[in-house]
Amino acid sequence: MLDAPLLELRDLGRRFGAVRALAGVDLTAARGQVHALTGANGAGKSTLMNLLAGVYPPSSGEIRIDGRAMQFNSPLQAREAGINTVYQELTVLPELSVAENIWLGREPRTRSGLLDRRAMLARSATLLEEFHLPLDPKRRCADLNLATRQLVEIARALSSSARILSLDEPTAVLSPSERRRLFDIVAELKRRGLLILFVSHRLDEVFEIADEVTVLRNGERVFSGPMASLDRDALVRHMVGHTVDERGRVPVLADPQRPQLQIRVHGARGATELTMKSGEIVGLAGLVGAGRTRLARRLAGREAGMKADYRVGQKQFSIDSAAAGIRHGVIYLTEDRKRDGLFANLSVLKNTSAAALPSLSRLGVVDRAAERSAVVPILQRLRLVAASLRVPASELSGGNQQKLLFGRALLAKPILLICDEPTRGVDVGAREEIYALIDTLSREGVTMVLVCSDLKELLMLCHRLLVVRGAAVVAELPAGASERDIVGAATEVA
Ligand SMILES: Nc1ncnc2c1ncn2[C@@H]1O[C@H](COP(=O)(O)OP(=O)(O)OP(=O)(O)O)[C@@H](O)[C@H]1O
Ligand SMILES: [Mg+2]
């Protein structure tokens, strides 16, 4: 069939037990295009990509490539058909090197069948050079940050000849310059005739790179068409069913005279001191690798061997572990859900109440009614989509896992809330809720430290910005600074 589209989905559906993740989806996409998939958290985007990737089979309908109905019994078969996928929850194995991860399962062998390490490194080098990926093939992945591990995942997807490349929220953890590099790669792949399926909750990006868009809602397709036929409001309306008032403002600290919080963190190159007013939201800005996450983790006592000393009003205490942080009300919301956030096998309820159990228990026994009535309203406000409070966190969509972590942090009644990428992968409606909650917390006197790779978001939320380098503070910018100011300050001190 000469004129058949590269990809055609017919009446595609998938159920998980009672949950209907995808139903009756039709979609046609041509080569040499970027086709965006959008929709609120839990709409079915990752499910669609997983079906294409052969992770699990559809419950109904079919996938056609070049007009031929396909059946994938494994991810390997999908790959052999030319479908490569960069998953939302990264699958890089931390104990392996960059090169080993790229060629996993397809390692070059010597004639005697042994692993040919030289060939593997050489091939990696060629690949990384071709796409200008700044990766060292010999590095162990455990030592890489989330954004760099994402690049490894992309390199792996580019390493076999693909016809379709699925990118499930590839930009959620990327800095502006890393995102630029990814978009350059996407443009190049488009020129080579690939079809790129692209998921992102950052709508600016969708408008920037997509040619076509399909919108999913509750597992169904509600719109397909050229990107140019929609404006932002129309797209949001398709996604969430109503428009969302996206704010723009310069935050003002309500009562700047209130008592202060002082923190001293000890690092490799001496101590860093931070002084914050109660209710103040301080943003950490910096170039890639500047150590924003490292600093944030140190503040929360989460970097081994580095303690943080606190003085809050008359009280003094030190934190040198996650548990000590929680005990003193210093709560860290992780950027890396897989590493130190989610308890994948625990229920939604237990995950949310995890850091608040002392206040929900009497004589060491959890008061189940109190637990429920604390958890339910906050998850409702965050519009968490889950079959029930009892399902394990691993069954939630990526954005809903993020909402769960945010809910947990709120319930813990923090005095200092340290948020690393709080809206990572969260849809446009819930993101506004998170902004509003951050606002409310600040008014209630909760002090916050924010790390956020989206500079617009950082500027909109923070009362003050600290420019970070080498995991230490090197400059300060007031609220009302511009994106340019941040980039300027970050490069000046570099
Ligand atoms: N393995 C699973 N078991 C049970 N339910 C699942 C499983 N995977 C997904 N679901 C459910 O299917 C629905 C669609 O999830 P999916 O991950 O496709 O959403 P998504 O559009 O990718 O959302 P997000 O933007 O948050 O990543 C959700 O209700 C989710 O809880
Ligand atoms: Mg998803």
Side-chain angles (χ1 to χ4, degrees):
M1 264 193 271
L2 260 181
D3 290 318
L6 174 56
L7 175 69
E8 194 183 356
L9 308 181
R10 290 192 186 167
D11 195 32
L12 199 66
R14 170 73 203 190
R15 310 185 69 100
F16 296 100
V19 177
R20 198 190 63 158
L22 211 63
V25 170
D26 294 324
L27 185 153
T28 307
R31 65 200 81 232
Q33 293 208 329
V34 177
H35 195 112
L37 281 177
T38 67
N41 295 130
K45 305 177 295 294
S46 297
T47 302
L48 193 155
M49 286 189 165
N50 287 339
L51 291 173
L52 269 180
V55 173
Y56 35 67
S59 315
S60 57
E62 62 181 16
I63 298 170
R64 289 174 168 260
I65 307 266
D66 286 329
R68 284 203 1 243
M70 309 298 281
Q71 239 180 40
F72 304 133
N73 296 314
S74 71
L76 194 66
Q77 285 185 1
R79 261 181 104 129
E80 280 164 358
I83 302 173
N84 278 342
T85 304
V86 174
Y87 297 96
Q88 183 172 19
E89 302 300 322
L90 302 185
T91 59
V92 171
L93 298 175
E95 295 313 318
L96 299 187
S97 70
V98 168
E100 287 163 340
N101 263 295
I102 295 176
W103 305 103
L104 192 69
R106 299 167 298 137
E107 295 88 350
R109 305 257 160 209
T110 61
R111 258 187 237 152
S112 48
L114 295 174
L115 174 68
D116 188 345
R117 197 166 289 279
R118 278 243 314 265
M120 188 166 78
L121 287 174
R123 280 193 208 171
S124 304
T126 314
L127 175 75
L128 298 175
E129 198 168 313
E130 181 182 355
F131 291 102
H132 307 287
L133 297 172
L135 288 171
D136 173 357
K138 291 191 190 137
R139 273 293 279 280
R140 211 171 65 110
C141 286
D143 302 333
L144 305 175
N145 67 15
L146 210 53
T148 316
R149 270 183 266 156
Q150 168 101 62
L151 283 182
V152 176
E153 194 113 344
I154 290 167
R156 178 165 60 199
L158 297 174
S159 66
S160 50
S161 59
R163 310 191 58 205
I164 299 175
L165 178 66
S166 297
L167 299 169
D168 197 350
E169 292 224 36
T171 59
V173 295
L174 300 186
S175 69
S177 63
E178 291 165 322
R179 188 173 340 149
R180 200 52 290 135
R181 188 168 52 218
L182 176 67
F183 287 3
D184 289 345
I185 295 174
V186 167
E188 170 60 25
L189 295 175
K190 213 174 115 165
R191 263 195 303 279
R192 297 186 189 186
L194 267 76
L195 163 64
I196 294 104
L197 296 177
F198 179 78
V199 170
S200 170
H201 286 291
R202 295 184 180 166
L203 302 186
D204 296 347
E205 296 179 354
V206 173
F207 278 102
E208 183 181 339
I209 70 164
D211 304 295
E212 300 273 323
V213 60
T214 291
V215 185
L216 299 176
R217 199 196 309 163
N218 298 327
E220 291 177 15
R221 187 187 72 164
V222 291
F223 178 86
S224 262
M227 206 61 237
S229 67
L230 288 179
D231 62 11
R232 199 179 165 101
D233 274 352
L235 180 60
V236 171
R237 215 165 37 240
H238 283 307
M239 288 170 62
V240 294
H242 54 86
T243 53
V244 170
D245 186 17
E246 293 179 274
R247 306 176 313 166
R249 51 152 208 159
V250 174
V252 181
L253 194 52
D255 177 5
Q257 298 307 321
R258 282 182 293 172
Q260 296 184 328
L261 177 103
Q262 275 176 330
I263 320 173
R264 209 179 142 80
V265 273
H266 306 274
R269 278 187 263 156
T272 299
E273 288 211 30
L274 290 184
T275 302
M276 281 177 271
K277 304 191 173 82
S278 109
E280 190 177 22
I281 307 176
V282 172
L284 302 184
L287 299 179
V288 191
R292 290 162 301 175
T293 289
R294 258 183 299 153
L295 180 57
R297 289 174 54 86
R298 276 180 204 174
L299 293 175
R302 289 200 180 223
E303 290 281 274
M306 292 184 181
K307 78 181 166 78
D309 298 327
Y310 280 77
R311 180 198 287 275
V312 184
Q314 298 304 313
K315 254 181 44 189
Q316 286 191 38
F317 53 85
S318 293
I319 291 176
D320 59 1
S321 67
I326 292 170
R327 205 160 53 239
H328 289 289
V330 175
I331 300 296
Y332 176 68
L333 178 64
T334 179
E335 92 172 311
D336 191 345
R337 298 191 282 264
K338 255 194 166 166
R339 182 168 67 166
D340 50 12
L342 220 60
F343 306 116
N345 301 320
L346 284 189
S347 69
V348 170
L349 181 71
K350 288 294 166 210
N351 262 287
T352 314
S353 65
L357 289 182
S359 68
L360 295 171
S361 306
R362 266 193 312 183
L363 305 173
V365 180
V366 180
D367 177 342
R368 303 226 172 270
E371 186 184 28
R372 242 192 125 77
S373 56
V375 165
V376 169
I378 187 73
L379 294 186
Q380 263 171 1
R381 179 147 185 207
L382 291 169
R383 302 197 184 123
L384 183 112
V385 181
S388 85
L389 287 180
R390 289 188 308 274
V391 299
S394 58
E395 290 185 11
L396 296 190
S397 76
N400 283 302
Q401 294 181 354
Q402 186 66 28
K403 294 176 186 177
L404 191 158
L405 287 185
F406 194 79
R408 176 200 298 173
L410 289 188
L411 279 187
K413 301 229 166 22
I415 53 164
L416 176 66
L417 179 58
I418 302 161
C419 296
D420 202 343
E421 305 288 353
T423 60
R424 177 183 163 211
V426 168
D427 68 47
V428 57
R431 202 175 322 152
E432 292 301 317
E433 285 296 334
I434 289 185
Y435 295 160
L437 283 166
I438 286 178
D439 236 19
T440 311
L441 287 180
S442 151
R443 281 171 216 287
E444 288 168 358
V446 177
T447 308
M448 274 169 276
V449 172
L450 286 190
V451 179
C452 179
S453 52
D454 182 341
L455 293 183
K456 276 202 193 73
E457 194 168 293
L458 201 64
L459 286 165
M460 182 184 73
L461 291 170
C462 296
H463 300 117
R464 184 158 58 108
L465 296 176
L466 301 175
V467 181
V468 174
R469 184 181 155 217
V473 176
V474 291
E476 184 175 323
L477 294 169
S482 66
E483 287 183 52
R484 250 231 185 89
D485 295 337
I486 299 184
V487 176
T491 30
E492 207 166 281
V493 297

